[in-house]
Amino acid sequence: MAVHKLSLDEFDEIDYNLIAIHTSLEDYRLAYFINQKFPINLAKSKDEVHINVKEGETKFSRFYFYDEENTVAWNLVQNVNEVIQESNKLTQDLFSETNEDITTKVYLLPEFKKADYFLKIDNTDDSIDVNKIKTILNTIENITTVYTVETKQIKSKNNLIF
C-alpha cells in the first residue's frame, strides 16, 4: 500500500494579486469603468462575500469574471460595509416606543480601512502585468489611488477565500 504525503507548504502558496482601490464610485459604476478599460466583463455575483464579526453578519458585494483563455479569475470586492444592530433601549420621552438602530462600519480587510475596494486577480502568472493594470486603473476618473497590497501585510487572509 502506497503512502501519500501532503506538504503544508503547498497550501501556503499565494497565487493571486491584490490591488487596493480608493474611490467614491459605487461598486456597479466602478465595475463598468473597469470593464471599459480592460478586456473583461465583470458582472455582479450572486455569491457575495459573507463575514461574521462580533457586531453581526454582513455581506460584501462582489463582481466576478473568469477569463477562460488565460484561466484567470477577476474579483472586484467591496471593503467597507455596515452592520445594523437593533437596540431595544426604551426611553421615557416623546419617542419612547421607537427602537434605535446602531450602524457599525465593518471591513473585509480591517488592516486596510482606507481602501474602498479590492481587485483580486487569481491564478496570475507572467502574462499579467500588475503595474500596467495599476496604471490603467489610475486613468479612471474618480479613482484617487491604486496600489498593490503585499500579502504578507494581510492578517485576515481567510476573508479573501471566495
Side-chain angles (χ1 to χ4, degrees):
M1 174 178 254
V3 176
H4 297 283
K5 289 186 178 182
L6 292 176
S7 173
L8 291 177
D9 294 334
E10 294 174 17
F11 296 108
D12 289 341
E13 186 177 315
I14 307 291
D15 64 340
Y16 62 86
N17 287 311
L18 193 65
I19 300 173
I21 301 172
H22 295 247
T23 183
S24 60
L25 291 172
E26 294 291 326
D27 55 0
Y28 62 92
R29 293 198 62 204
L30 180 60
Y32 172 78
F33 290 129
I34 291 173
N35 288 341
Q36 297 296 314
K37 297 285 184 177
F38 296 99
I40 61 173
N41 188 17
L42 289 168
K44 180 97 171 164
S45 175
K46 294 177 185 173
D47 300 326
E48 294 180 326
V49 181
H50 296 272
I51 301 292
N52 288 318
V53 290
K54 63 182 178 183
E55 292 87 4
E57 180 181 340
T58 188
K59 299 175 187 175
F60 295 95
S61 68
R62 175 180 170 216
F63 288 78
Y64 178 76
F65 174 73
Y66 183 72
D67 181 6
E68 291 181 16
E69 182 179 320
N70 298 317
T71 63
V72 175
W74 296 68
N75 289 284
L76 177 66
V77 184
Q78 178 184 30
N79 186 39
V80 183
N81 205 349
E82 292 182 344
V83 173
I84 300 174
Q85 297 173 318
E86 195 173 291
S87 174
N88 294 328
K89 181 177 146 183
L90 295 176
T91 56
Q92 297 296 328
D93 60 7
L94 181 62
F95 306 104
S96 62
E97 295 297 319
T98 61
N99 291 334
E100 293 180 7
D101 290 339
I102 301 170
T103 59
T104 307
K105 282 191 176 182
V106 178
Y107 300 92
L108 180 68
L109 297 180
E111 52 271 22
F112 298 99
K113 291 184 178 181
K114 296 192 184 238
D116 298 305
Y117 298 96
F118 290 107
L119 184 62
K120 180 182 174 196
I121 307 170
D122 290 315
N123 300 329
T124 57
D125 55 5
D126 295 335
S127 66
I128 293 188
D129 185 5
V130 177
N131 290 326
K132 185 176 179 182
I133 291 172
K134 291 189 312 186
T135 304
I136 293 171
L137 285 173
N138 270 323
T139 64
I140 297 175
E141 196 172 327
N142 294 333
I143 287 186
T144 310
T145 305
V146 174
Y147 56 90
T148 306
V149 175
E150 293 296 324
T151 53
K152 295 172 186 162
Q153 296 176 341
I154 303 172
K155 296 176 185 170
S156 49
K157 289 181 186 174
N158 290 341
N159 293 351
L160 292 174
I161 300 173
F162 44 82

